[in-house]
Amino acid sequence: MQQVEDYKVSVIVPIYNSEDTIGACISSILNQSLSPIEIILIDDGCKDTSGSICDDFSQRDHRITVIHQDNMGRSAARFHGTQVARGQWLTFVDSDDTLPASALQDLYSVCTDGVDIVMGNGNSSEFENRDIIPIDEFRHMAVRAEGTIGVPWGSLYRRTVVTPYLFDLPREIMNGEDYIFWLRLVFQTEKSVRIVHKNVYNKGEEHTCNHFIWTADYCVRLNDFRMSSIPAEYRQRYLEDTIKDRIANLCAIAVCQKRNTWKKSKFLHDIEKDMKLLKTRFTWKQLLFLHMPSLRIRKLLASI
């Protein structure tokens, strides 16, 4: 039996109706060059054969633990995995994705006492080939959701900084919950973030984001969580960054709702109020896009 301190990494996989992809996902984790690791599979009330596929894998490999639970949503499934994880470091893999064979080794090889977060896929973000980013600067980037910041996969987290608070969201917050996870995470540590400039994650087909309908009311709720996730004493410092990400949300709303639905919304009003406070303005491109009278034209422009 492995002791707690023997596991270098715990890999947590939330699963919901993924029978077509979960086998490849698990196999890619089992084939990692890093050892020893543990794999925690959370069957989040699957209605297909995903749960039995997980059980079959666990019977063949002692590193796998399977948890079957009623459907509670992806954040709750990830949280359950963290509660039973025994590794020094944690990472998350979605059930329709895979890991390159050296992914965990590439990430773990730079884990030191001086970092609590190791972020991979650095080549896909504007990191200027830097290996270390001070936490204050990284927080600004996280609030703006730059690059692959804002997704839980492709990184390692020291187990001690992954607290229940990171997952404490209502189930109906099903898009943007990863962003809130990161906002809360970066205020759990004062240590710099280590960047790995290698591909450590193979993203499968995205489902949630592609079919999600953004609304002004939803973004009001999301912004409440955004602002409350930033400690009060830091909110003014990161206000400009929150405006940039809220404008991105507004553009997403603009391709889902007619203009007269959101142009008088609280969400837009709050953005404009904070922009006035900081004496900033929309860019001409943003204004042109937002003032397009046709929802169909905005959708077309957004797809280009």
Side-chain angles (χ1 to χ4, degrees):
M1 177 70 67
Q2 293 281 10
Q3 299 299 313
V4 172
E5 61 271 16
D6 290 338
Y7 289 115
K8 294 177 180 176
V9 174
S10 296
V11 184
I12 299 166
V13 185
I15 303 157
Y16 183 72
N17 293 352
S18 305
E19 61 185 6
D20 293 335
T21 58
I22 188 59
C25 175
I26 297 171
S27 294
S28 75
I29 303 170
L30 290 172
N31 291 331
Q32 289 297 296
S33 57
L34 181 69
S35 180
I37 64 172
E38 68 169 347
I39 305 166
I40 303 171
L41 307 176
I42 312 295
D43 167 13
D44 189 36
C46 294
K47 293 179 172 58
D48 62 3
T49 62
S50 298
S52 60
I53 292 172
C54 293
D55 289 335
D56 289 343
F57 270 97
S58 70
Q59 291 172 9
R60 301 197 301 267
D61 198 302
H62 71 277
R63 294 175 294 175
I64 297 176
T65 298
V66 181
I67 297 173
H68 301 281
Q69 65 180 33
D70 293 337
N71 182 253
M72 300 175 64
R74 187 165 54 182
S75 287
R78 287 176 179 149
F79 170 62
H80 197 163
T82 66
Q83 295 301 100
V84 301
R86 296 170 288 176
Q88 304 165 23
W89 294 79
L90 308 182
T91 192
F92 302 97
V93 177
D94 286 348
S95 58
D96 49 0
D97 304 335
T98 60
L99 297 182
S102 64
L104 297 184
Q105 181 64 53
D106 290 336
L107 292 167
Y108 185 79
S109 65
V110 299
C111 291
T112 66
D113 290 341
V115 297
D116 289 329
I117 302 169
V118 177
M119 182 175 177
N121 290 350
N123 291 337
S124 65
S125 301
E126 298 298 324
F127 293 126
E128 302 175 355
N129 294 320
R130 297 157 65 194
D131 295 331
I132 295 288
I133 298 180
I135 190 61
D136 181 65
E137 181 180 352
F138 193 84
R139 286 170 179 164
H140 284 285
M141 300 168 75
V143 177
R144 296 192 298 266
E146 290 189 3
T148 52
I149 305 174
V151 294
W153 40 262
S155 299
L156 287 186
Y157 315 100
R158 192 181 299 278
R159 183 154 57 98
T160 53
V161 300
V162 181
T163 66
Y165 171 61
L166 305 186
F167 307 91
D168 186 17
L169 287 169
R171 180 172 177 171
E172 57 267 26
I173 301 299
M174 57 184 296
N175 206 339
E177 82 276 20
D178 293 344
Y179 171 73
I180 301 301
F181 167 92
W182 267 97
L183 278 193
R184 293 174 174 180
L185 174 71
V186 295
F187 289 101
Q188 298 290 312
T189 179
E190 296 298 324
K191 297 179 181 179
S192 296
V193 176
R194 186 66 161 82
I195 308 298
V196 172
H197 295 278
K198 295 181 180 180
N199 174 44
V200 297
Y201 200 88
N202 297 322
K203 194 75 184 80
E205 182 181 354
E206 183 56 69
H207 299 288
T208 304
C209 291
N210 290 344
H211 298 96
F212 188 78
I213 298 176
W214 289 92
T215 69
D217 288 343
Y218 183 87
C219 286
V220 168
R221 291 203 66 198
L222 183 64
N223 189 54
D224 287 342
F225 287 109
R226 171 192 282 113
M227 301 310 293
S228 65
S229 297
I230 302 173
E233 64 270 26
Y234 291 109
R235 287 174 196 162
Q236 188 65 29
R237 184 188 305 181
Y238 297 102
L239 184 59
E240 183 176 357
D241 301 307
T242 73
I243 291 172
K244 290 180 179 179
D245 195 60
R246 281 183 282 168
I247 291 175
N249 292 158
L250 180 63
C251 291
I253 294 169
V255 299
C256 293
Q257 289 188 305
K258 294 181 179 180
R259 188 168 183 271
N260 60 7
T261 303
W262 52 263
K263 68 179 181 179
K264 294 183 179 179
S265 67
K266 181 180 185 301
F267 185 66
L268 178 57
H269 174 267
D270 288 346
I271 293 175
E272 292 174 332
K273 181 181 67 175
D274 287 340
M275 292 179 76
K276 184 177 181 180
L277 180 66
L278 294 184
K279 299 181 180 179
T280 61
R281 297 180 179 181
F282 290 103
T283 67
W284 69 266
K285 288 184 178 180
Q286 290 166 346
L287 286 172
L288 180 63
F289 177 78
L290 293 171
H291 282 82
M292 285 288 175
S294 169
L295 175 61
R296 183 176 62 84
I297 294 176
R298 291 197 298 274
K299 286 183 177 180
L300 179 63
L301 288 174
S303 65
I304 297 176

